[in-house]
């Protein structure tokens, strides 16, 4: 099989490419240039896709003896990931850009180009398993990335290869060292790759025509203070609210909701964050629509799990939760699991 190995410049994608080669595949490595200013895309362990990462990927490809190319995807990445990320926050939502990158870039733009060039599949360093076209959780629960792959369609999964799904991260690093790969001890990237500083609020403030507004007690409607703009607030946020006095009972306050039009940020007690039902749109479902009992939903890349009863239609998904979840906001993805098997996903539009 002729495969295109997406090599980010990190240890996971390098070992994935090596394993694909060892499995007898005809491997070609490709590094995705996702930024028009790659020199700004890494700060220590934050971010990725920098010039340094491109060079690391090339050095790994040389060690493995596979051809290597750089594909400029900066314009597509900006249009399909960065701009929607900003627009979602402007609407008061909480997007997941890593999930959208998988959906729109790695398994859409890159996969489509790969297939057009005669490749059979795209290989990545994601920690997830594929068995007969079915996406499953990785063996390493702490590194499992099936959540951010839950948006992939059956067609996309049919052309995907995840060689690391059966391994622990420690095993991958040890293997990289044995193979003489320079990235064996390279730190994993954290946070949002196109915000290497980690300052999401500052990034959004530079791109949105934001304005001051009120911090309002959700229960009483009382104005508690003011903020400089809704950009960067997220449901469930506790710190950085700018309130100079605690609640009457002395307990901390959390962001409960964001109203971009009125520019109000509603705050309240932790228990008011409890969500017992979800509504979601644009489902990707691997099976027949209808009602499914005894499943588990996940609303964050790590954590945020609850048993649920899920109803799936052609354009919508609804979940009744067996136990409440906190910090759930429109814009997040909900991924549905049957044990370790991904049944599908959708984008949350409302909570109850």
């Amino acid at each position: 099989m002729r495969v295109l190995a997406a090599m980010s410049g990190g240890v996971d994608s390098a070992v994935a490419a090596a394993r694909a080669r060892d499995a007898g595949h005809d491997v070609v490595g490709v590094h995705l240039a996702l930024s028009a200013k790659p020199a700004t895309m890494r700060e220590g362990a934050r971010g990725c896709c920098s010039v340094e990462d491109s060079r690391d990927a090339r050095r790994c490809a040389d060690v493995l003896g596979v051809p290597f190319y750089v594909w400029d995807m900066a314009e597509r990445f900006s249009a399909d990931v960065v701009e929607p990320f900003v627009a979602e926050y402007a609407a008061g939502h909480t997007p997941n850009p890593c999930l959208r990158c998988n959906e729109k870039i790695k398994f859409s733009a890159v996969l489509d180009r790969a297939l057009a060039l005669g490749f059979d599949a795209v290989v990545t360093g994601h920690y997830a398993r594929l068995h007969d076209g079915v996406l499953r959780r990785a063996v390493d629960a702490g590194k499992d990335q099936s959540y951010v792959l839950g948006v992939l369609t059956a067609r996309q999964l049919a052309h995907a290869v995840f060689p690391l799904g059966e391994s622990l991260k420690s095993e991958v690093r040890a293997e990289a060292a044995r193979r003489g790969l320079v990235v064996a001890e390279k730190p994993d990237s954290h946070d949002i790759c196109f915000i290497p500083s980690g300052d999401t609020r500052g990034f959004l403030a530079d791109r949105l025509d934001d304005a001051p507004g009120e911090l309002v007690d959700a229960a009483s409607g009382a104005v508690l203070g003011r903020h400089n703009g809704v950009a960067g607030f997220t449901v469930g946020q506790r710190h950085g609210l700018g309130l100079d006095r605690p609640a009457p009972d002395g307990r901390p306050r959390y962001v409960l909701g964001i109203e971009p039009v009125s520019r109000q940020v509603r705050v309240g007690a932790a228990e008011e964050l409890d969500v017992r039902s979800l509504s979601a749109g644009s489902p990707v479902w691997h099976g027949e629509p209808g009602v499914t009992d005894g499943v588990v939903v996940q609303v964050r890349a790590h954590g945020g799990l609850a048993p649920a009863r899920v109803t799936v239609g052609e354009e919508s998904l609804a979940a009744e939760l067996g136990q409440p979840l906190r910090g759930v906001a429109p814009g997040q993805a909900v991924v549905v699991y049957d044990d370790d098997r991904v049944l599908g996903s959708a984008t949350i539009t409302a909570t109850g």
Side-chain angles (χ1 to χ4, degrees), residues 149-299:
L149 297 169
V151 291
L152 301 186
T153 66
R155 172 188 173 273
Q156 291 168 328
L157 290 173
H159 295 287
V161 179
F162 305 129
L164 306 188
E166 303 285 348
S167 299
L168 302 178
K169 178 65 179 245
S170 57
E171 295 170 337
V172 171
R173 286 202 181 276
E175 181 178 335
R178 290 196 303 271
R179 292 179 180 274
L181 299 174
V182 296
V183 294
E185 298 301 324
K186 185 175 181 178
D188 292 338
S189 59
H190 297 288
D191 300 314
I192 300 168
C193 71
F194 52 87
I195 312 179
S197 67
D199 182 11
T200 301
R201 182 172 292 185
F203 175 88
L204 292 168
D206 289 341
R207 288 158 178 80
L208 292 174
D209 184 18
D210 214 348
E214 298 173 336
L215 288 157
V216 177
D217 182 84
S220 67
V223 177
L224 303 175
R226 294 185 64 79
H227 60 78
N228 293 324
V230 298
F233 282 104
T234 57
V235 171
Q237 178 179 335
R238 174 183 173 184
H239 299 290
L241 302 185
L243 296 175
D244 57 8
R245 62 185 186 278
D249 59 8
R251 295 190 298 170
R253 295 184 175 95
Y254 297 80
V255 174
L256 304 182
I258 302 161
E259 303 293 342
V261 176
S262 65
R263 300 192 296 279
Q264 282 191 346
V265 176
R266 294 183 290 106
V267 300
E271 58 267 23
E272 295 180 76
L273 286 167
D274 285 352
V275 166
R276 292 174 173 81
S277 64
L278 304 172
S279 299
S282 304
V284 174
W285 193 251
H286 305 291
E288 293 296 325
V291 179
T292 304
D293 281 306
V295 297
V296 171
V297 298
Q298 183 171 338
V299 297

Side-chain angles (χ1 to χ4, degrees), residues 1 47 54 67 70 80 82 92 102 134 138 149 159 172 179 221 289 301-302 312:
M1 188 162 68
S54 175
V70 175
D80 288 352
V82 180
N102 288 326
V134 176
L149 297 169
H159 295 287
V172 171
R179 292 179 180 274
H302 299 286
V312 182

Side-chain angles (χ1 to χ4, degrees), residues 36-121:
K37 298 179 180 179
T40 67
M41 292 290 276
R42 178 175 284 280
E43 294 184 13
R46 292 181 181 270
C48 66
C49 317
S50 67
V51 172
E52 169 197 338
D53 295 313
S54 175
R55 290 169 179 165
D56 285 344
R58 185 180 296 277
R59 284 196 286 265
C60 290
D62 288 343
V63 170
L64 299 176
V66 301
F68 179 82
Y69 299 90
V70 175
W71 285 2
D72 185 354
M73 290 278 177
E75 188 173 320
R76 182 72 180 265
F77 182 74
S78 178
D80 288 352
V81 178
V82 180
E83 290 176 15
F85 173 85
V86 174
E88 284 286 281
Y89 264 107
H93 297 166
T94 304
N96 186 315
C98 296
L99 186 147
R100 296 305 165 204
C101 182
N102 288 326
E103 176 189 27
K104 301 292 187 180
I105 304 299
K106 292 176 183 173
F107 293 97
S108 181
V110 173
L111 177 58
D112 289 348
R113 184 185 292 187
L115 295 176
L117 291 172
F119 291 93
D120 300 297

